[in-house]
Amino acid sequence: DAGITQSPRHKVTETGTPVTLRCHQTENHRYMYWYRQDPGHGLRLIHYSYGVKDTDKGEVSDGYSVSRSKTEDFLLTLESATSSQTSVYFCAISELDRAGSYNEQFFGPGTRLTVL
Amino acid sequence: DAKTTQPPSMDCAEGRAANLPCNHSTISGNEYVYWYRQIHSQGPQYIIHGLKNNETNEMASLIITEDRKSSTLILPHATLRDTAVYYCIVRVARIQGAQKLVFGQGTRLTINP
């Protein structure tokens, strides 16, 4: 299994509080991603990173910010959590092969976030 | 818009081949077909991908039609541990080398003893 950990694995918080989720990898992969998974929507991309300090928005980025100050860590922050952000959050990593083609994405175990 | 159509659910007997179809009639010439699966509440797991030729690895085989408008994932000897939701993905935007996968609803495959 790819070395990806997420912390915390479970969190309950209240509306309006800030929350930071951490994704840590030991694979030295260049690309990192944050997804959320909700019933009826499948997985949706929130933000992704293509290098240290290089990030961009995905399809559902409103209300979220990210930071990547070093290769191994990708942080997802909810500045002021809302109940609509109750979800399961998955981190993923990927790297290009020597030909510059795609390699698969490896996913972390997920963080279950509940916003009351 | 995931650009793929998959049956919502399928059943297969343990030990038999599981054939999971996917329609992607609007696929572009340079878009790959990817398959991932998600077992219960775990993170998705990559299975296989291909462009136009059939592909095989230790997990599965991928058959892509000549017109590339559909594909079939084959698990040759399904086991109970293959029970999962299987996602066929063709929309992959490439930004600075990053893959922007777009997941649909997938097929819930149940392997029965």
Side-chain angles (χ1 to χ4, degrees):
Chain A
D1 290 343
I4 310 171
T5 56
Q6 293 185 230
S7 59
R9 294 292 313 280
H10 301 271
K11 186 172 182 65
V12 179
T13 192
E14 293 187 350
T15 298
T17 60
V19 176
T20 296
L21 308 183
R22 180 186 184 225
C23 177
H24 179 76
Q25 59 141 332
T26 58
E27 304 297 321
N28 200 36
H29 280 13
R30 189 180 329 175
Y31 307 102
M32 298 186 75
Y33 313 80
W34 276 108
Y35 292 86
R36 62 177 288 175
Q37 185 170 31
D38 307 289
H41 288 280
L43 281 94
R44 294 179 290 175
L45 182 64
I46 305 172
H47 280 279
Y48 63 97
S49 170
Y50 48 94
V52 174
K53 298 186 180 177
D54 293 321
T55 66
D56 206 348
K57 297 178 180 180
E59 60 178 312
V60 290
S61 59
D62 287 348
Y64 301 94
S65 62
V66 290
S67 64
R68 191 168 178 201
S69 59
K70 46 187 178 178
T71 300
E72 58 266 35
D73 288 325
F74 193 31
L75 304 181
L76 177 70
T77 297
L78 292 65
E79 300 289 349
S80 178
T82 67
S83 58
S84 64
Q85 294 176 310
T86 293
S87 187
V88 180
Y89 292 85
F90 288 100
C91 172
I93 64 174
S94 71
E95 185 55 87
L96 297 176
D97 62 15
R98 291 179 183 176
S101 301
Y102 291 121
N103 274 340
E104 64 266 33
Q105 287 189 22
F106 297 97
F107 285 78
T111 293
R112 185 172 296 274
L113 176 67
T114 302
V115 183
L116 301 176
Chain B
D1 182 11
K3 294 177 59 177
T4 62
T5 303
Q6 298 178 253
S9 64
M10 294 182 62
D11 286 88
C12 179
E14 187 178 18
R16 304 295 295 270
N19 297 283
L20 291 90
C22 179
N23 287 322
H24 32 80
S25 58
T26 59
I27 191 170
S28 300
N30 60 350
E31 288 182 320
Y32 283 74
V33 180
Y34 289 78
W35 284 84
Y36 283 76
R37 73 180 183 183
Q38 188 172 23
I39 297 173
H40 194 40
S41 56
Q42 299 176 19
Q45 176 190 24
Y46 165 84
I47 301 173
I48 199 168
H49 76 281
L51 183 62
K52 61 176 88 173
N53 298 318
N54 297 337
E55 302 287 345
T56 296
N57 63 21
E58 65 278 3
M59 289 182 67
S61 294
L62 174 60
I63 308 298
I64 303 174
T65 58
E66 192 168 346
D67 63 9
R68 302 207 330 119
K69 292 184 178 182
S70 65
S71 60
T72 300
L73 178 74
I74 302 173
L75 308 178
H77 303 288
T79 71
L80 298 179
R81 288 174 294 182
D82 292 321
T83 292
V85 177
Y86 287 77
Y87 297 98
C88 170
I89 301 168
V90 300
R91 169 167 285 183
V92 181
R94 189 174 183 177
I95 308 297
Q96 302 282 352
Q99 298 172 301
K100 296 176 70 176
L101 299 179
V102 177
F103 287 79
Q105 297 302 308
T107 295
R108 183 173 298 276
L109 175 67
T110 301
I111 306 300
N112 300 306

